[in-house]
Amino acid sequence: MQELINRAKELLADGTVARVLGWKAGDLPYNPEPAYFETEESLKDFVYNGFCGANLSKYMIEASKLEGKTLVCLKPCDTYSFNQLIKEHRVDREKAYIIGVGCKGKLDIEKIRKQGIKGIESISGAEITDEAETLTIQTIYGEKTCAYKDAMLERCHVCKGKEHKIYDELMGESKETKDADRFAEVEKIEAMSPEEKFAFFQNELSKCIRCNACRNVCPACSCRKCVFDSNKFDSAQKANVDSFEEKMFHIIRAFHVAGRCTDCGECSRVCPQGIPLHLFNRKFIKDIDTFYGEYQAGEDTTSKGPLTNFTFEDVEPSIVAERG
Amino acid sequence: MKYSYYPGCTLRNKAKDLDEYARASARALGFELEEIEDWQCCGGVYPLGTDEIATKLSSVRALNQAKEKGQDLVTICSACHHVIKRVNDDMKNVEDIRTRANNYMQLDEPYEGETTVLHYLEVLRDKVGFDKLKEKVVNPLTGKKIGAYYGCLLLRPGKIMAFDDPENPTIMEDFIRALGAEPVIYPYRNECCGGYISLKEKEMSQNMCQKIEDSAKGFGADMLITACPLCKYNLNKNASSELPVYYFTELLAEALGVKEEVAK
Amino acid sequence: MSIETNEEFRPKIVAFCCNWCSYAGADLAGSSRLSYPADVKIIRVPCSCRVNPMFILRAFEKGADGVIMCGCHPGDCHYSTGNYYARRRMTLLFSMLDYIGVENGRTRVEWVSAAEGVKFSQTMNEFVEKIHSLGKNVRLEDLRCRS
Amino acid sequence: MQRIGVFVCHCGSNIAATVDVKKVVELAAKEPGVVHAEDYQYMCSEAGQAKIQEAIREKNLTGVVVCSCSPRMHEATFRKAAERAGLNPYMVEIANIREHCSWIHKDMEEATKKAVILARAAIAKVNLNAPLQPGESRVTKRALIIGGGIAGIQTALDIADAGYEVDIVEKTPSIGGRMSQLDKTFPTLDCSACILTPKMVEAAAHEKINIYTYSEVEHVSGFVGDFTVDIRKKARSVNMDKCTGCGVCQEKCPSKKIPNEFNRGLNNRTAIYTPFAQAIPNVPVIDRENCIKFKTGKCGVCSKVCQAGAIDYDQQDEIVTQKYGAIVVATGFDTIKLDKYDEYAYSQSKDVITSLELERIMNAAGPTKGHLERLSDGKAPKELVFIQCVGSRCSDDRGKPYCSKICCMYTAKHAMLIRDKYPDTNVTVFYIDVRTPGKNFDEFYRRAVEQYGVNYIKGQVGKVIPQPDGSLLVQGSDLIDNKQILKKADMVVLATAIEPNPDVRKIATMLTASIDTNNFLTEAHAKLRPVESPTAGIFLSGVCQGPKDIPETVAQAGAAAVKAIGLLAKDKLTTNPCTAKSDELLCNGCSTCANVCPYGAISYEDKEVNDHGIRETRRVAVVNTALCQGCGACTVACPSGAMDLQGFSNRQIIAEVDAICR
Amino acid sequence: MRNEHSAAEKIKEISGTNPLKCMKCGKCSATCPSFNEMDIKPHQFVSYVVNEDIEALVNSKSLWKCLSCFACVERCPRDVKPGKLIDAARQLVVREKGGDYLKADEIPELLDPELPQQLLVSAFRRYRR
């Protein structure tokens, strides 16, 4: 991390970049937050550890409008989002100095808590230089340990790989974390009866409080004004009366990002209610892969997205009923 | 290459030679006919009634056995081929028949028309290749003028049998050429010999068979070949018998030099 | 708010028809007097590619029991390619509806040309029958919209 | 709030017999925004239109809903009426309570209920309508004709005579088309070449007509009034300016064994050839696939014998790009392939021929110099059998479901001509029905029977059986005598079904013109707009639209010309205002919409915007309304809802959905 | 007396064909090798079913003269396939008690030593229940 800070200072000093977009420590040991650093001095607060899950690429939409270049730290999965934003003309490549930072899997404090670890005072073993094998947690009840793997975000278990798709320079080591099938959860739901499916989603979505955290964090949900906030569809946000309304919101949101969603998993990470929102996006990704050939949004900056493309031989919508 | 093989009742009995020549030739050509176990008679005619299941089950059993072995199913007798091929088509494409047949059969896994049904001639054409066959011929039948008699069952209905052009087939002629003989094309080669009608209405069959023979003779044939025991019977019994009628497998065995083997 | 009685179930069915083929096909069904249930109400759109999945969800939210979209046959789109986009959009939407437990068959896409009055009427008859077999759409209706 | 008037049409009893129109009026009047509602016998009548206009003026209506027949029928009528009364025409919407309601429902209560809902949906839509102003686009005063047969020639002549430039693009080396292959024409029996050749010459000589033969349309872009077309002029290998048409090259060409397409392959031609003697232009082409020079590099005889030095082996294909205001499709037809009909022994006997082949045999310039003879042995046939409906009226997948229309008449013609020229030859026609609707047509057919003794047998033929002696045995039905007959024949002629030129699908796709399941181009209205494609600026001439004989083709060609002239005569066109429109404050500039636009109508501009006080330069989508055809693909692709379609806006459609589901 | 309407419906059901598609071209009769032996000709079969004159059909000689050679099925341009209708009518008869065309006791005299099994089996299927 020191290496990263030193490099950032250098680039600030020689004027290559006007600011640094990274993370700074939060009020707790496990909640660092995205932050701009405009001086070498301010970089003392810079952190980069296992809890820096936030995808900074979306911040580059605003940063692209600022004077001068912004140094942005992107994890491998964030670079997909950045590419997708380039494709959609939302970020300016010339305004970004990308340091591709290594990643050993990002952590989910909820998973630590679920293991019964409470009253956390500090956590060690999550630094980027650490082996990412074990976390040692000081709590008011004494020291606890937890396997790094068991504390990882769901998305890291189905990681797309630790290769950066776009960068100016690379820094820090990575470690492969993929140990699960990306579509296993989706397949589990697909195998359910309609009644079970409905019950499953009704249960999950009834938790939604329409806080819009998912929308705000999503790099694909970057519309200047969301359709749910405009009067274009008579669909402006309404009071939360019934969960069906929420279902529409999440389906429409997923549809709007279909073919553009890189599966970065931020929606699920930030949901305060713990709704597995990525299950909608991943369903679309799975269907797109099955019906139209494998497609990974953000893999490049030029290919045509699956919903702005077609072949004469595409499957008919009746396939949905036919495959039963 | 191994194929499941459905001989049918006539080839076990009155048309033994049709079967034996076929097996001997297969050996010579390097493929094997593995007779399926406990096959039952196909019924001889395809039950046209869309509401009949029982009469289709023996075919389904044979088809399913081939499926379980992962082999294509080969037939020789035109009637068996016709019945099994059409039942297979039903199992593949007619939901009602498929459901009812499967309900009745109670197989481990429902049969849905997965097996490919091939006529022996199709094996020669599509799997062995007539060019390859030609190379294997040791006694070319040079100078023989042979009329192919197709009859109805191999060709029609063309869409389902998908054997050859139902009005202008070429497979048997190509076969004849491969054996070194000269095919004689005559217009009655796809007209009916009378089939089972000869049991009770001999004159009708005689009328038809005579036309077939006359036409073939008129175009210069000195013999006829067929794949069907009933056609052969009718042509022998119900025409003037001026042209000898052979099973195509007999000429095949002869050309391949394995005829003697069978005679023993 | 009315109380559900034992009245015969009359489904609400929205049919989006493209102006060039399917709407004309529906007109032909009409001028050929090929009947289909009055439960089907047609909304004219210029092309099947104008049909936003939001319209379909909206219809369900407002109490529709079935939504069918008709367009020109692939290859025959008046705008060349519109129905190809529509086909992908609807495939994904239908798959998603299936995924969240909406009964298969509440949505349908059928390609109907201007000459296919018979097909239009047959399709609508079939679709209404299907919706009858599925019954009222309770899963997606926004309950507040019942009057 | 709108002030809406609702007008419910009885359509005589068409609507009123099934829909309680009074009830519709009563309930529509209660809908929000409705200030006036009435019903009338015939809204489309002048009196009906006057009622609408009166209400617009007196009640200051801002919107109109007409509950009547399909908008495809009278939307334009009512919109024009409203405009004359000072209302923006796009404030009028139609509720289709005839085709979609009264005509398909029997129960009055049910139909009325539905009519009310349809009216309600239209009212909900009009509440959100906004006045739209059509834009203008210019008209290029030049027409393109695709296909140089009689249809294309006639259309070209009529348009050129009106004073407009016309280009004909013909795929083969000469104009003339199918008609140039015919010998005589029914029902007057005049010689086809004698009436066609002058037209060909006239077209070639016309100062306003430019003919591209041996050329194909390669690409079409643009829209009505302003099409841009790329034409590929295939390399002829002969310099058109130098060639004198002397024909020596064709005499000397050593590659002589190429099936002659013009004679339907019944004889051979050389590699350098003009298809027929009267060809226009009279300049040969080298068929490169069969030319020895092109195949082996050796030969070059034609070049050596050409005194004009016109042979050019290095000639390349050339692309000509030209602008047109109107395009007429006149791609014609061919006969179907008969390989699926071998019960008629077409591929088994040389003496079984198609009618078009018989035309060539009968023609003095044909393979037999006009002598009726068997192709197998050159003998004159004594017994001739015609078989009708070969591939026509077939609902199986072998043939065509339609009647080819011309066969009954040309068969009568052939039969008559043969009986006239060869009285010793007996002619038998197996027919299913004899269809002769046309001026002097049935009289013509009766003459064949009564005066020329042609034997017509009602019944189809099951099989043609070649005999060892070279004759043919025709096994057919005689349904009148209820017999199966065996007829000995020397020659059998098959009245083969016709089908649209196989290229037409490709051309239709380029033109975005719709096509039916049989590959005939679709007309804008089966009865009222039979020579126009639904795609503006595209017109239909001849058999590409449906089977036709020559007089019908010529009539339709003239009609297509008039429609094209009507377009070319305008200086400006008003464009459809129902185009896409981007809300620049909502636009992300993401290019998703442009990716799905089939017309390239969307571009991006960096624009200074004022978003609630925030001034900034943004990349935003801009729609070219002259290019936009209003499909709406972009509106769904747009994630933010910035792109909307005027006349079919998101809110309008949602209002309809809500009204229906209410 | 059977119910003519339901018998006609049954024939349509068994055969799976729609006789209304017939355009009366006569190609079936032109094709049929047994035409001369038939009292009701193949093309007439179609109109008999349309007109629900089933009594005449089931009593016709034609039922037992059809060879099931599928020539009419193959060549019918309208997908009516008269051969299927004839077979369906035959089914109707043989499914009725005592309707067999071939009686067991007449078989021995019909046999000859060369006769293939196939012939007997086929005839049994076509002629008997």
Side-chain angles (χ1 to χ4, degrees), chain C residues 10 12 19 23-24 26-27 30-31 33-36 38 40 44 46 49-50 55 58 62 79-80 85 89, chain D residues 70-72 75 96 99-100 103-105 110 114 512 596 599 630-631 633 635-636 644 648-650 658 661:
Chain C
R10 291 311 298 258
K12 288 179 188 167
N19 182 46
Y23 196 90
D27 279 359
S31 51
R33 311 300 197 270
L34 299 164
S35 73
Y36 51 88
V40 178
R44 182 165 71 129
C49 70
R50 178 66 189 94
F55 301 160
R58 174 72 165 216
K62 296 291 176 187
Y79 305 100
S80 310
Y85 296 120
R89 291 167 185 162
Chain D
S70 171
R72 294 169 56 87
E75 186 179 68
N96 184 347
E99 283 84 346
H100 293 187
W103 273 354
I104 46 170
H105 306 312
E110 203 169 272
K114 178 168 174 182
T512 69
V596 297
Y599 304 101
C631 66
T635 62
V636 183
D644 210 345
F648 292 95
S649 71
N650 291 322
D658 290 0
C661 296

Side-chain angles (χ1 to χ4, degrees), chain B residues 13-256:
Chain B
N13 207 301
K14 289 278 162 24
K16 263 201 181 101
D17 44 346
L18 174 56
D19 169 70
E20 284 163 357
Y21 290 130
R23 287 171 188 263
S25 304
R27 282 191 293 275
L29 290 167
F31 64 94
E32 197 179 317
L33 298 177
E34 204 172 82
E35 187 167 331
I36 54 173
E37 288 162 29
D38 303 329
W39 52 267
Q40 295 156 314
C41 172
C42 70
V45 287
Y46 169 75
L48 283 175
T50 50
D51 57 349
E52 276 196 49
I53 290 302
T55 42
K56 293 178 172 138
L57 293 179
S58 71
S59 300
V60 179
R61 283 194 192 97
L63 288 160
N64 190 57
Q65 274 202 43
K67 173 189 161 187
E68 282 169 358
K69 285 202 214 161
Q71 295 173 342
D72 293 348
L73 181 62
V74 172
T75 58
I76 299 178
C77 166
S78 302
C80 302
H81 182 67
H82 183 89
V83 173
I84 294 174
K85 181 112 185 184
R86 290 188 75 173
V87 170
N88 200 34
D89 182 75
D90 285 342
M91 294 302 286
K92 205 190 271 178
N93 299 321
V94 185
E95 198 187 332
D96 177 52
I97 293 178
R98 175 171 59 231
T99 316
R100 286 198 291 149
N102 276 313
N103 284 347
Y104 188 89
M105 303 265 300
Q106 294 293 324
L107 301 167
D108 295 340
E109 185 189 324
Y111 181 75
E112 296 178 341
E114 293 91 341
T115 301
T116 305
V117 183
L118 291 174
H119 189 264
Y120 194 93
L121 280 165
E122 290 177 306
V123 176
L124 297 181
R125 177 185 63 189
D126 304 330
K127 302 286 170 175
V128 178
F130 285 143
D131 290 347
K132 232 342 141 288
L133 170 61
K134 197 172 179 177
E135 289 170 18
K136 298 260 174 126
V137 166
V138 293
N139 302 324
L141 310 178
T142 319
K144 286 194 170 138
K145 292 177 146 190
I146 305 174
Y149 178 65
Y150 288 88
C152 327
L153 297 173
L154 287 178
L155 296 171
R156 294 190 287 264
K159 231 188 281 177
I160 294 169
M161 298 310 292
F163 180 76
D164 206 336
D165 182 335
E167 301 294 353
N168 188 18
T170 56
I171 181 168
M172 278 177 136
E173 282 75 9
D174 292 339
F175 167 76
I176 292 166
R177 272 186 211 104
L179 301 189
E182 182 190 334
V184 174
I185 296 171
Y186 62 103
Y188 280 94
R189 65 207 161 113
N190 62 343
E191 290 293 312
C192 186
C193 67
Y196 55 80
I197 207 111
S198 62
L199 187 65
K200 291 194 70 171
E201 337 272 337
K202 273 222 158 20
E203 319 78 61
M204 275 175 74
S205 176
Q206 278 163 0
N207 191 3
M208 292 166 193
C209 290
Q210 198 55 53
K211 271 192 203 162
I212 294 163
E213 194 184 88
D214 289 348
S215 172
K217 213 166 55 180
F219 279 91
D222 25 65
M223 61 177 75
L224 292 175
I225 57 168
T226 176
C228 178
L230 181 50
C231 296
K232 183 167 185 266
Y233 169 80
N234 279 339
L235 287 168
N236 277 334
K237 275 274 159 188
N238 294 329
S240 64
S241 299
E242 284 175 47
L243 293 185
V245 186
Y246 299 99
Y247 289 126
F248 75 99
T249 52
E250 183 173 353
L251 296 196
L252 175 64
E254 188 183 332
L256 292 172

